[in-house]
Amino acid sequence: EIVLTQSPGTLSLSPGERATLSCRASQSVSSSYLAWYQQKPGQAPRLLIYGASSRATGIPDRFSGSESGTDFTLTISRLEPEDFAVYYCQHYGSSRTFGQGTKVEIK
Amino acid sequence: EVQLLESGGGLVQPGGSLRLSCAASGFTFSSYAMSWVRQAPGKEPEWVSAISDSGGSTYYADSVKGRFTISRDKSKNTLYLQMNSLRAEDTAVYYCAKASQGGRPYYFDYWGQGTLVTVSS
C-alpha cells in the first residue's frame, strides 16, 4: 500500500504570502493519480487538484499542483483569508490512501 | 447542481448495526461509481467502501471487510452502507463521495456534508 507523507504538519503564514505544501509517496504513483483536497472546520473535503496538476471546476488559479517523481507539491500563490484550512493529498490509483494533512494557519 | 445528502448516523452500542443512506441528485447517478469515506475526529479521511456505476462490483477497506456492505438503488438515486458488528474504532463522520467517473481510477469530485456515527456503550 502506498503511504503518503505530508509536510509540514502546520504552516503559519500571513494573507498574501505564498504557501508550499508537500506530499511524498512511499513508492511510484502510477500516472500521477494524485489529488489535493481542502477542508475547513465542520465541512466536507473539497476537491482542488486532480491528476497532480489539473485544477477542479471553480478552483481559483492561485492554486497549482506539480510533481517530481514521488514528490508532489500544492502551491497557493497568494493566500486569501478563505484559504486557511487543512489540506490533504490522496492517491487514487491502486490504493485510495490519504496523507495526514497540512494545516495552513494564520500567523 | 450535484447534491449528496447523508442520513442514518447516530449513537449505537458496540456490536450493533446501523444503515447509512445517501440521496444523490444533480447528476446521472447510474453513470458514476460512489464511495463512503469516513473521518475520525482530528484524523485524515479514510476510504471505507466503493461501488461501481452498475453496482456489480464492490470494494472494501480491510478494516471493515466482512462487517460493512455497500449497495445502491438506481431507482431511488440512493447509496447505502449497512454497518454491522460496529466497534468503537468505527466512530467517525461518514461521507458519501461521488467518483469522477464510472470506473477506476477516480478521485472524489463531490462530497456530502457527512453523518456522525458514534459507537459507545
Side-chain angles (χ1 to χ4, degrees):
Chain A
E1 179 180 285
I2 293 175
V3 176
L4 300 176
T5 302
Q6 292 187 240
S7 61
T10 302
L11 203 48
S12 298
L13 295 168
S14 300
E17 290 193 293
R18 181 184 188 89
T20 303
L21 288 66
S22 174
C23 174
R24 174 167 289 177
S26 58
Q27 55 188 278
S28 176
V29 175
S30 57
S31 302
S32 303
Y33 294 147
L34 195 287
W36 289 92
Y37 301 87
Q38 175 194 69
Q39 187 176 34
K40 298 178 181 179
Q43 296 185 17
R46 177 176 74 141
L47 176 69
L48 298 175
I49 300 286
Y50 63 93
S53 60
S54 298
R55 270 189 304 276
T57 303
I59 301 303
D61 60 7
R62 64 179 181 272
F63 290 92
S64 63
S66 63
E67 66 171 300
S68 176
T70 57
D71 292 334
F72 297 84
T73 301
L74 175 69
T75 302
I76 310 171
S77 59
R78 293 174 309 280
L79 283 165
E80 297 288 340
E82 62 268 27
D83 299 337
F84 292 93
V86 180
Y87 293 83
Y88 295 100
C89 59
Q90 185 219 1
H91 173 246
Y92 56 92
S94 56
S95 65
R96 299 174 176 89
T97 52
F98 289 83
Q100 83 278 20
T102 290
K103 181 180 182 181
V104 179
E105 65 175 22
I106 299 177
K107 185 175 182 180
Chain B
E1 178 192 5
V2 172
Q3 290 194 339
L4 301 168
L5 186 61
E6 302 97 333
S7 61
L11 175 64
V12 61
Q13 292 188 340
S17 297
L18 216 52
R19 188 175 86 152
L20 306 183
S21 299
C22 170
S25 62
F27 64 102
T28 304
F29 182 67
S30 59
S31 296
Y32 294 89
M34 297 292 294
S35 274
W36 289 97
V37 179
R38 68 186 180 185
Q39 188 171 29
K43 303 288 285 182
E44 69 270 21
E46 177 193 14
W47 171 78
V48 172
S49 181
I51 187 166
S52 62
D53 50 0
S54 67
S57 298
T58 57
Y59 310 88
Y60 300 93
D62 288 344
S63 57
V64 306
K65 201 172 293 183
R67 300 187 299 123
F68 290 11
T69 302
I70 191 171
S71 61
R72 64 193 298 164
D73 184 336
K74 66 179 183 180
S75 68
K76 296 181 178 179
N77 284 359
T78 301
L79 177 73
Y80 301 100
L81 185 68
Q82 177 67 42
M83 304 186 295
N84 298 330
S85 303
L86 283 161
R87 306 166 180 167
E89 54 265 36
D90 295 320
T91 294
V93 174
Y94 283 72
Y95 296 102
C96 166
K98 173 187 168 294
S100 53
Q101 57 187 13
R104 298 188 71 183
Y106 50 74
Y107 47 89
F108 303 124
D109 53 4
Y110 292 93
W111 300 59
Q113 86 292 346
T115 187
L116 176 63
V117 173
T118 303
V119 183
S120 175
S121 54

